[in-house]
Amino acid sequence: MKWQFDKEGFFFSLGLIIFVFFSILTVKIYADFYADVFLSPELRVFERNLASLPSLIKEAERIKLAFVGDIMLDRGPELRVNKLAGGDYRFPFLLIADQISKYDFLFGNLEGPMSDVGRDSGSFISFRFDEKATQGLLYAGFDALSVANNHSGDWGRAAFEDTIVNLETAKIAPVGDSLQPKIVEVGGLKIALVAFADFPGPGMRATDENIIEALDNSRLKADLIVASCHFG
């Protein structure tokens, strides 16, 4: 019997072999990936911590945490505060204070230094808030504010450090001024706060090394870690 080349059968067989090969390869890749991700020692630790969280929250009863974005109290807002409210910095928060102050913990991003010292960096967009702004921040119920952002260094190191002092004096925790967490206790739950920014400046930069160090500094000090990241 004369042998005859079956072109269609050949390509069908070849395609089947390639399909089976890549299927096996894909399964192996995903198996390795899931083993690394879901069977890693780090995940076991995370799962244990996560499993204990409901009991911690139950012991602390129910708590409500709130987080807001940039808080801007220079330029237009400052002009209106002075013109319409005689310099009373509660004014920007009058319509929302009742809503946001009802939370057990309130966190925001302070988008600039709050100080009367320092030197303007010369940036086209350079912010600095009046120290009296703490009136409004306290009135609104803020417990902690991130100082790690792209405007925290607008008026130099002196203004940044003065901002830390002003916040601490007002009993508002500044977060992101170092890699050490700020620990707050809310309803019996200890929370470690860390903050980073993807910009040069006096606030903590969001590098892998900084993030890892800050989280390592936080793990044994709190029941829960909250990280704030500012990227623009």
Side-chain angles (χ1 to χ4, degrees):
M1 182 177 179
K2 187 177 179 181
W3 182 84
Q4 185 176 358
F5 176 70
D6 185 347
K7 184 176 180 181
E8 291 182 1
F10 171 77
F11 283 110
F12 174 80
S13 300
L14 180 62
L16 182 61
I17 292 170
I18 292 173
F19 172 77
V20 171
F21 172 77
F22 279 103
S23 297
I24 294 172
L25 181 63
T26 301
V27 169
K28 184 179 185 307
I29 291 172
Y30 275 97
D32 291 342
F33 169 76
Y34 283 113
D36 289 340
V37 173
F38 295 106
L39 299 179
S40 65
E42 292 82 0
L43 184 63
R44 300 280 80 82
V45 173
F46 173 76
E47 287 178 340
R48 286 198 297 272
N49 292 340
L50 191 62
S52 66
L53 190 57
S55 63
L56 290 169
I57 294 177
K58 185 177 181 181
E59 289 175 8
E61 299 180 349
R62 185 179 295 273
I63 59 173
K64 293 182 179 181
L65 313 179
F67 303 86
V68 305
D70 297 356
I71 299 171
M72 170 59 176
L73 297 169
D74 193 8
R75 298 194 172 186
E78 181 183 49
L79 181 65
R80 287 170 176 78
V81 165
N82 290 328
K83 182 178 180 180
L84 302 176
D88 188 340
Y89 274 87
R90 292 176 299 176
F91 178 73
F93 304 100
L94 288 178
L95 298 181
I96 61 170
D98 287 345
Q99 298 177 42
I100 61 177
S101 63
K102 66 183 179 181
Y103 294 97
D104 299 299
F105 174 82
L106 182 61
F107 182 95
N109 175 63
L110 188 64
E111 188 73 350
M114 186 170 56
S115 173
D116 60 358
V117 301
R119 177 179 295 181
D120 192 344
S121 64
S123 170
F124 176 71
I125 304 176
S126 183
F127 303 147
R128 184 174 65 163
F129 312 147
D130 194 305
E131 292 174 306
K132 292 185 297 184
T134 53
Q135 297 176 340
L137 297 169
L138 287 171
Y139 172 71
F142 283 98
D143 300 291
L145 293 168
S146 172
V147 293
N149 55 65
N150 51 315
H151 288 287
S152 60
D154 281 355
W155 281 72
R157 187 78 199 183
F160 178 78
E161 293 177 352
D162 194 41
T163 299
I164 305 303
V165 172
N166 289 332
L167 289 174
E168 290 177 339
T169 301
K171 305 302 181 185
I172 299 173
V175 185
D177 56 318
S178 78
L179 295 177
Q180 290 298 325
K182 296 297 165 63
I183 307 296
V184 297
E185 188 165 329
V186 184
L189 190 70
K190 286 187 177 180
I191 303 175
L193 305 170
V194 293
F196 313 94
D198 196 27
F199 300 91
M204 294 299 99
R205 290 294 301 275
T207 63
D208 291 345
E209 295 78 9
N210 281 350
I211 293 172
I212 291 171
E213 182 177 342
L215 294 180
D216 285 343
N217 291 338
S218 305
R219 293 184 202 281
L220 300 179
K221 298 178 180 178
D223 304 310
L224 180 69
I225 302 173
V226 174
S228 168
C229 297
H230 187 85
F231 295 103

